[in-house]
Amino acid sequence: MTTRRQRRRIKLYAWGALVFLCLVLALIPIQSGMVRKLLVGSVFVAWAGGLFLFWSSIVARVVFLLPLAAAVGLALMPYRNADGVRMQTTYTTALRSYAGAPYIWGGESRWGIDCSGLIRCAMIDTCFSEGWRTKDLGLLRSGAALWWYDASAKEIGEGYTGRTYVTNASTTLNTADYTKLHPGDLAVTESGQHILAYLGEKTWINADPKGQFAVVSKTAPNDKDAWFSTPVKLVRWYRLQ
C-alpha cells in the first residue's frame, strides 16, 4: 500500500508534468485551434490542481488566488478610449521586434512565424501592452480574442470579423499614395496569399518564406521584390485609427 507521503509525491509529479505540458504548448510555434484549447484547459487544470495541492500553505493560497482576483478586477474595470497614434507606435515597434524570426507556415511566435502570424502577433502584443499600461479592459479582451481566433491574410483583408477595413481596393506598394497611409496599415495581395505591414517612411515589413530570415523590412519603390509590384488592397486596423 502507498503511504500518504507517496501519494502526495505522485500528485506533485503529475502536477509538475501538467505544468511542463503547459510550457510546451505555450512555446509551440504553430498555435492551431486544438493547441489553444489544450493550452487553456491545461492551464486551468494546473491552476486548480496547484490550489488543491498547496492549500495548506498561506503563501501558496495567495499565489494561486491572485490571478483569479486580478481577472475579476480586470473584468470590473471600465472601457477606455485607446490612443490610436500611440497604438500605431506600439504596433510598429512590436512588428520590428520579430525581425529575424525563422519562417514556419502557421507559426505565431518568435520561434517561427508566417505572414499573417506576424500581423496578428504584433497586434496581440500591442493590445496586451497598452491594455496593461492604461488598465483598459477592452484592449486586454481584444488581445485575448485575437489570440483565440486565428485568421489568414485573406480573412484579415476581408474585415477579420469587424477588426479591419479596406482603405484602398487596388494599388501596388510601388505606386501607393503614401500621404494617406498610417503606420500599422496593412497590404493584402489580391490573391489573399500574403500580407505586409507599413512601418512608415515607405518601409514595409513582412514574414517572407523566400528570405534567409522570415521577418524583413524593405523600402518602396523596390523593383527587385515581387511583393512591391503585386496588386494589393490596403487595409487598416480599427484600433489604429
Side-chain angles (χ1 to χ4, degrees):
M1 294 180 62
T2 57
T3 64
R4 180 180 298 181
R5 179 177 295 181
Q6 288 173 328
R7 288 195 297 270
R8 180 174 177 79
R9 184 177 297 175
I10 291 172
K11 290 178 181 178
L12 286 171
Y13 285 153
W15 183 76
L18 186 58
V19 171
F20 179 74
L21 174 62
C22 293
L23 291 174
V24 171
L25 290 173
L27 292 175
I28 291 176
I30 302 176
Q31 290 287 319
S32 65
M34 181 59 68
V35 171
R36 289 184 180 89
K37 291 176 182 177
L38 284 172
L39 177 57
V40 172
S42 298
V43 168
F44 177 77
V45 173
W47 173 81
L51 188 62
F52 173 76
L53 282 172
F54 304 106
W55 182 255
S56 58
S57 168
I58 296 177
V59 175
R61 289 185 212 174
V62 173
V63 170
F64 280 98
L65 289 176
L66 271 178
L68 180 61
V72 173
L74 288 171
L76 296 176
M77 286 182 179
Y79 288 89
R80 300 175 186 269
N81 293 323
D83 184 337
V85 175
R86 183 180 175 91
M87 289 279 289
Q88 292 173 17
T89 301
T90 305
Y91 184 55
T92 54
T93 300
L95 286 165
R96 289 189 178 95
S97 71
Y98 287 87
Y103 185 92
I104 294 181
W105 186 86
E108 297 182 6
S109 78
R110 289 177 175 80
W111 299 100
I113 203 163
D114 67 3
C115 66
S116 60
L118 170 65
I119 303 306
R120 291 179 59 256
C121 285
M123 181 54 73
I124 292 168
D125 294 346
T126 299
C127 287
F128 282 133
S129 174
E130 288 299 301
W132 283 115
R133 187 186 67 83
T134 61
K135 307 299 186 294
D136 185 343
L137 171 63
L139 281 179
L140 293 175
R141 292 183 62 178
S142 292
L146 283 168
W147 176 78
W148 185 258
Y149 296 106
D150 196 2
S152 63
K154 183 178 181 181
E155 290 169 327
I156 294 173
E158 293 175 347
Y160 195 3
T161 61
R163 295 179 175 89
T164 62
Y165 66 97
V166 176
T167 61
N168 190 326
S170 182
T171 185
T172 69
L173 301 188
N174 282 334
T175 60
D177 183 355
Y178 283 89
T179 62
K180 296 181 179 180
L181 283 173
H182 295 171
D185 282 354
L186 311 173
V188 183
T189 59
E190 289 185 348
S191 64
Q193 294 180 344
H194 195 62
I195 186 169
L196 306 91
Y198 185 54
L199 298 177
E201 299 181 353
K202 297 186 179 181
T203 301
W204 294 83
I205 190 170
N206 72 132
D208 192 341
K210 296 177 293 185
Q212 180 181 3
F213 296 105
V215 183
V216 294
S217 56
K218 296 181 180 180
T219 303
N222 190 322
D223 296 326
K224 296 181 179 180
D225 192 317
W227 298 125
F228 281 73
S229 57
T230 299
V232 297
K233 57 181 173 181
L234 301 178
V235 179
R236 181 169 296 159
W237 292 100
Y238 276 104
R239 285 287 186 184
L240 301 187
Q241 293 187 94

